[in-house]
Amino acid sequence: MIKVITTIEEMKKIIKDEKAQGKSIGFVPTMGYLHDGHISLVKRAKAENDVVVVSIFVNPTQFGVNEDYDVYPRDLEGDKARSEEGGAQYIFHPTVEEMYPYGYQTFVEVFGITDKLCGASRPGHFRGVTTVVNKLFQIVSPHKAYFGLKDAQQVAVIEKMVRDLNIEIEVVPCPIVRESDGLAMSSRNVNLSETDRQSALVLSKSLFKAKEAIEAGIQDAKAIYLIIEKNISEEVSVHIDYIKIVDFDTLEDVTVIEGRVLIALAAKVGKVRLIDNIIMEA
Ligand code: AMP
């Protein structure tokens, strides 16, 4: 049976005991409402480690004041069943008070790459992410931690934090898992109305069109940008936040598609903000 741990003290003790038995620890940090995208990370962690810990914590410090913290979906029972099926032994599920007790005053911040893409639209978001991931790294102290490329900028930011702070944890980026019609899996998809769910398909479709165009030889970033923008603007209920074509390492805009390029977008579909991306190796 999978165990749900709610206190930092108990989680740390379990990890200490597992490590004393020579076990390797794989860690999958999440905000819960788990879908097959999350479970792909759990399975990968299971394949590469003796013990797998999934954290489920809707982290208030990474949400802006007008964002969806209050309506973020939650389902601990479903998450328990899915995590167990994926091969996890422990769920770490602390309360907000456990993670941020009265008087909490410390934040971890990566500069530069956090100003771009989602960081530009969501000020303070990555500061919340790096702070909570750092805390979770201290508590779970894993050998390897698994992150989805669905949040490509988050992967870049965590990798930077790990390098800059000399954290001895291997960050393992994992591919995006999509629904059969192409929509990137996201816990937030459940908050889409049926018609918005249909409209949201334009996001992945426009990225796939961009991929085709690049594979057909188009290297001009502006031309690719226009293909994506034109496609998305045909859906009236989809409002583009950004479409960015950037170098995957620096997140700086590129004008020519060569090397490892991240094509990332964010859009509001109805009330729900969705992100998606593709990575091209040209
Ligand atoms: P979240 O619960 O949305 O914070 O996501 C927790 C982890 O799962 C993050 O590393 C995400 O990038 C990853 N993840 C979320 N959706 C997907 C997906 N569709 N495919 C792969 N990884 C994902």
Side-chain angles (χ1 to χ4, degrees):
M1 248 325 242
I2 192 159
K3 282 202 182 115
V4 179
I5 314 300
T6 57
T7 69
I8 293 168
E9 194 185 345
E10 191 186 356
M11 191 71 250
K12 280 189 163 180
K13 184 179 179 311
I14 286 169
I15 296 295
K16 204 172 161 199
D17 293 348
E18 295 283 10
K19 282 189 172 174
Q21 292 173 48
K23 303 273 179 69
S24 60
I25 315 289
F27 178 43
V28 182
T30 83
M31 297 204 299
Y33 211 77
L34 303 181
H35 50 65
D36 285 354
H38 296 114
I39 300 309
S40 72
L41 273 50
V42 175
K43 287 185 174 157
R44 175 92 181 260
K46 177 68 185 169
E48 298 181 358
N49 302 274
D50 301 315
V51 174
V52 176
V53 180
V54 176
S55 66
I56 295 176
F57 180 61
V58 185
N59 174 38
T61 66
Q62 72 190 66
F63 286 80
V65 276
N66 292 318
E67 294 183 358
D68 57 351
Y69 178 72
D70 291 332
V71 296
Y72 198 86
R74 292 159 167 91
D75 173 21
L76 184 61
E77 285 312 306
D79 290 347
K80 275 167 73 175
R82 293 216 173 88
S83 302
E84 185 159 26
E85 245 176 67
Q89 286 91 333
Y90 301 102
I91 287 179
F92 180 52
H93 181 52
T95 60
V96 172
E97 293 71 32
E98 180 74 3
M99 290 295 274
Y100 301 110
Y102 179 73
Y104 186 88
Q105 282 184 325
T106 304
F107 285 84
V108 177
E109 188 161 6
V110 172
F111 291 89
I113 55 169
T114 53
D115 295 340
K116 307 168 201 300
L117 311 178
C118 283
S121 329
R122 304 182 70 189
H125 167 68
F126 285 113
R127 179 179 187 256
V129 170
T130 43
T131 298
V132 81
V133 169
N134 209 300
K135 280 176 70 72
L136 291 166
F137 278 2
Q138 300 294 326
I139 297 161
V140 177
S141 182
H143 297 89
K144 294 186 180 191
Y146 297 79
F147 292 87
L149 284 165
K150 156 96 181 337
D151 300 87
Q153 185 176 14
Q154 175 170 277
V155 170
V157 171
I158 299 293
E159 282 181 337
K160 188 86 185 85
M161 176 183 81
V162 163
R163 271 200 307 278
D164 286 355
L165 295 182
N166 314 103
I167 298 173
E168 285 189 30
I169 294 171
E170 187 186 332
V171 172
V172 184
C174 304
I176 299 181
V177 177
R178 298 180 179 281
E179 303 286 357
S180 55
D181 58 9
L183 182 69
M185 288 191 182
S186 164
S187 305
R188 289 186 166 97
N189 290 349
V190 73
N191 288 340
L192 291 167
S193 70
E194 216 165 291
T195 50
D196 287 343
R197 164 75 181 70
Q198 228 17 59
S199 308
L201 283 180
V202 77
L203 303 178
S204 53
K205 281 199 177 134
S206 68
L207 289 171
F208 299 153
K209 286 219 169 108
K211 183 168 186 278
E212 270 173 29
I214 294 166
E215 283 167 356
I218 298 182
Q219 279 193 302
D220 177 31
K222 185 75 194 174
I224 298 299
Y225 173 93
L226 290 173
I227 289 173
I228 299 170
E229 191 195 36
K230 181 173 174 299
N231 262 275
I232 297 180
S233 49
E234 279 165 16
E235 276 291 348
V236 286
S237 58
V238 179
H239 300 280
I240 298 167
D241 173 359
Y242 66 77
I243 300 165
K244 287 295 225 174
I245 304 179
V246 299
D247 178 282
F248 188 47
D249 297 317
T250 61
L251 303 186
E252 296 287 350
D253 290 347
V254 297
T255 51
V256 179
I257 304 205
E258 58 188 358
R260 204 150 69 117
V261 171
L262 169 69
I263 305 179
L265 55 81
K268 267 258 171 102
V269 185
K271 286 192 176 143
V272 184
R273 185 177 185 278
L274 297 178
I275 57 172
D276 199 352
N277 72 76
I278 51 170
I279 294 167
M280 298 299 299
E281 309 256 1

